[in-house]
Each structure stands twice: as structure tokens, then as C-alpha cells.
Amino acid sequence: MLLQNNQINIPSFTLVRQNSMLEKELLECFLQVVNQGIFILNENVKVLEDKVSNFCQANYGIGVASGSDALDLSLIACGIGHGDEVITTPFTFFATAAAISRVGAKPVFVDIDPKTWNIDVNLIEEKITSKTKAIIPVHLFGCPVEMDAIMQIAKKNNLRVIEDAAQAIGAQYCGEKVGSFGDTGCFSFFPTKNLGAFGDGGMIVTKDSKIAEKIKLLRIHGAKNKYCHDVLGFNSRLDELQASILNLKFKYIELWTQRRRELAILYNNLFQEHIRTDRFSIKLPQEPDYAYHVYHQYTIQTKQRDELQNHLKSYGIASTVYYPIPLHLQKVYSSLGHHQGDFPVSEDACNEVLSLPMFPELTNEEVEIIVDAITSFFTR
Ligand SMILES: *Cc1c(COP(=O)(O)O)cnc(C)c1O
């Protein structure tokens, strides 16, 4: 039996396998940038901006320093600031709401759909006030939000839409890529994301030439001509070295996404074979009819989450909780006056979700070992 092997050591995520596969090509990227001797906003960044914007069915791509900055700069370019309200989900990475607060606006949370863990589009309209200026849907774990509903609500109420697609490059809603629906789409190249750099990086895509121009200005201290500052901007660039690595990795993005989807199907099939998921009430990730899910995470939900995580750990299998605390209960947001129970679906998710190992280089055999270990937990 596979589980008796005490040599097992399966990480939640690792780049070591991918890096060793790409070692030669990666070293060429470094050498190319070293020899070129230009490190900020040159050819590599332009090439990546074109590739990512084309891939995402948008017209413009603007490389920035991180996914967090992509959100900040998008909000500013959309004219959102003090006194405004922006609707988003409390079940996301902190950066989504932090961007809203940093520009001086107020995050207004809407609970999530228990099936996808994405914002519940049926609960948005009741939160709209005269101050509401935008919605930030988050395509969590790589599963696209119902963008038709979001865009209809936005149109009816004259709201901006900024897509947080940090976890979802390549995901599709009804055959169209995420990031292409809203005023902007925000991507992160943090090393663990589906397209990851060797450090921080991000990109904004947009179909709107005016927004693209504003963001290009904002990322270089608001100076169209050097040392002439028209607006208050930032230092937020994607650098050439990261862009060169990302251009290399971009060649594999569709292959890697297909592999993630293959692994997700394998997990699903093995779970259905081995555990009566109805009897043990473990919820598997869903891919709605409208969705092309890119499985940034393969996340399950169970009331025995912490015991299961410890059980896996004892077998040498890592797993991660994204996210343990919903944003409305974070200390930094105590001034918003929220309480336990305000967003029950999000709170349950925080207590019950567990993300299993997921990265393109994970082997089928490893998935089998993981499912065996989970089966042994539920059939103890
Ligand atoms: C990673 C992430 C971000 C922030 O991206 P960084 O590049 O780490 O700044 C924003 N939103 C979500 C949902 C993320 O997962």
C-alpha cells in the first residue's frame, strides 16, 4: 500500500520541478537581460504586455509591480477615491479590499455563493447606494465569476468593474477570458500564481485606451515627459528580468492549465470512487456550466478540516487554508463594525476549506497517494 511509504513528502506547491525542467532556458533569459543592460520598461515588458493582452482578449496590457498595485492603479484610473463605496467579497486575499481602502474608498462586502465561493451575484444589488462606484469581482481559485450578471448590474447602476483575476489567468466565462469583461482586469505574477515570476509582478489589461493611458502615467510617477509630473503617481513597474522569465513561461501557460485541469479531474474521479462524498460531506470544487476553471487551487470543504489537515501532515502531505479569516473580521477592518455572522457563507468557508497540492508538475501517483490518505481519514 502506497501509504506505508514513510518517504512521502508532497508539497502544497513547488517551483523546483518546473525550474529544473526550464533551467537552460531560464539561464538564457538572465543572460539576455544582463547583456542588454536595460532593466526597466524595455522590450521584454512590451512583448509580455502584447502577449498577455492578446491572450486575454483585451487591447492594452500595462505591466506593473504587483497584482496589488494592479488593483490600486485600476481604482485610481477609474476615478475612485474618498467617499466612494466599492462592492467586493470578504472571502479573498486581503489585497482586494486593501486596494479599495488605500484609495480612500470603503469596501462593502457581499457574501459568497457556497458552490463556487465567489461573490453571490444575487446579493449585490441590495448593497448598492448612491455612493457605490464600482464592483471588484474576484475569480477565486481560478473559477470565473458570473460576469454576465456582474456586467448587467454595473450597467444598470452605472458602476465600474475591476476584475481581480490574480488567480485566474486563462479562465473563461462563457468562452471569453476573464479580465476582458470589466473596465480593467488585474493579474498577479507572484511566484505561486498560475503564471509566476521570480519575484513580484503584475499586469492590468483593458479595452479602454483612456484608462490604459492613465495607468501608464501612474506607474511612472505621473510623468509623461521625464521630470515633468502631471499627476501624483507611483513607482510601479514590472522589470525586464521578470518580464523575460514570464515571456518564457508564457509559452507553457496553456499546457500547464490543461495539466491542472487534468489533475482536478483525477482528484474528482478518485474521490468519487473511494469516498461516498455524500456520506462524509466533503464538498469538491465545482466547475459551473459557464466556466473554464484554471484550478489555481484545488479546494475541498469539510467540517473536519483541521483534523483532516493534521492527518495529511502526518503522512507527509502538505495542504493550505485559503483563507482562515474573512476580511470583514480582520482587525484592520474593525472600524467597519462587522460581526461574526454577518457573512455566514464566507465564515463557514474560512472554517472548512482546504486546498490540496496543485501544480502542473504534480504526478498522478501523488494525487492517488493524497486521495488514499484522505480516504483513510474518512473511513477510520
Ligand atoms: C495574489 C493576489 C492578489 C495580489 O497579488 P500580488 O501580486 O501578490 O500583489 C490580489 N488578489 C488576489 C485574489 C490574489 O490571489
Side-chain angles (χ1 to χ4, degrees), residues 92-317:
T92 175
F93 179 57
F94 177 65
T96 315
I100 300 168
S101 305
R102 248 192 315 265
V103 304
K106 178 185 168 189
V108 172
F109 297 117
V110 167
D111 210 355
I112 55 171
D113 174 347
K115 287 198 292 296
T116 59
W117 299 299
N118 281 332
I119 192 166
D120 186 336
V121 296
N122 297 310
L123 303 178
I124 292 176
E125 286 203 276
E126 62 199 57
K127 291 292 182 72
I128 294 174
T129 71
S130 58
K131 292 179 178 168
T132 311
K133 293 285 152 46
I135 308 175
I136 306 186
V138 181
H139 308 289
L140 198 71
F141 302 150
C143 183
V145 174
E146 283 165 83
M147 288 311 295
D148 275 351
I150 298 277
M151 297 316 291
Q152 260 171 33
I153 294 166
K155 201 168 171 200
K156 193 170 135 197
N157 297 281
N158 195 25
L159 307 177
R160 299 287 202 163
V161 174
I162 291 161
E163 291 178 69
D164 183 340
Q167 302 186 358
I169 191 162
Q172 297 170 35
Y173 172 80
C174 292
E176 286 180 55
K177 294 268 170 51
V178 301
S180 67
F181 293 88
D183 293 280
T184 71
C186 300
F187 294 94
S188 164
F189 303 129
F190 187 79
T192 60
K193 301 291 160 91
N194 286 22
L195 181 64
F198 279 10
D200 282 307
M203 190 169 294
I204 297 161
V205 300
T206 181
K207 290 179 175 167
D208 185 322
S209 62
K210 285 208 188 85
I211 289 180
E213 282 313 307
K214 276 187 193 162
I215 293 169
K216 276 189 186 160
L217 207 57
L218 287 171
R219 75 173 168 181
I220 47 168
H221 289 297
K224 191 174 261 163
N225 299 309
K226 227 174 186 187
Y227 309 122
C228 300
H229 303 272
D230 306 333
V231 296
L232 187 62
F234 301 81
N235 173 1
S236 184
R237 280 94 54 140
L238 178 66
D239 63 64
E240 280 288 303
L241 191 54
Q242 300 302 345
S244 132
I245 290 162
L246 290 163
N247 277 323
L248 161 63
K249 289 194 180 190
F250 188 83
K251 291 195 289 193
Y252 302 96
I253 187 70
E254 299 212 69
L255 212 69
W256 288 337
T257 300
Q258 280 167 24
R259 178 63 186 154
R260 285 173 182 274
R261 290 174 55 79
E262 228 171 72
L263 290 164
I265 291 169
L266 182 60
Y267 268 122
N268 287 345
N269 290 344
L270 291 171
F271 276 126
Q272 263 135 23
E273 245 172 67
H274 292 292
I275 339 184
R276 293 249 327 271
T277 49
D278 53 339
R279 191 167 142 220
F280 294 104
S281 80
I282 88 166
K283 190 173 99 58
L284 303 180
Q286 310 281 311
E287 181 175 53
D289 289 342
Y290 54 74
Y292 181 84
H293 195 318
V294 295
Y295 293 99
H296 174 58
Q297 299 297 338
Y298 183 90
T299 303
I300 63 173
Q301 185 167 354
T302 169
K303 293 217 184 303
Q304 299 161 78
R305 191 263 315 272
D306 294 340
E307 300 92 301
L308 175 62
Q309 186 171 34
N310 286 333
H311 177 85
L312 289 175
K313 198 173 164 203
S314 74
Y315 280 108
I317 299 166

Side-chain angles (χ1 to χ4, degrees), residues 289-357:
D289 289 342
Y290 54 74
Y292 181 84
H293 195 318
V294 295
Y295 293 99
H296 174 58
Q297 299 297 338
Y298 183 90
T299 303
I300 63 173
Q301 185 167 354
T302 169
K303 293 217 184 303
Q304 299 161 78
R305 191 263 315 272
D306 294 340
E307 300 92 301
L308 175 62
Q309 186 171 34
N310 286 333
H311 177 85
L312 289 175
K313 198 173 164 203
S314 74
Y315 280 108
I317 299 166
S319 59
T320 314
V321 175
Y322 300 113
Y323 296 92
I325 305 170
L327 298 188
H328 66 286
L329 299 179
Q330 295 283 352
K331 187 171 166 199
V332 60
Y333 281 133
S334 56
S335 62
L336 293 176
H338 287 298
H339 301 285
Q340 192 100 33
D342 284 357
F343 303 104
V345 186
S346 300
E347 292 165 22
D348 284 351
C350 288
N351 292 326
E352 297 173 7
V353 290
L354 190 64
S355 293
L356 303 180

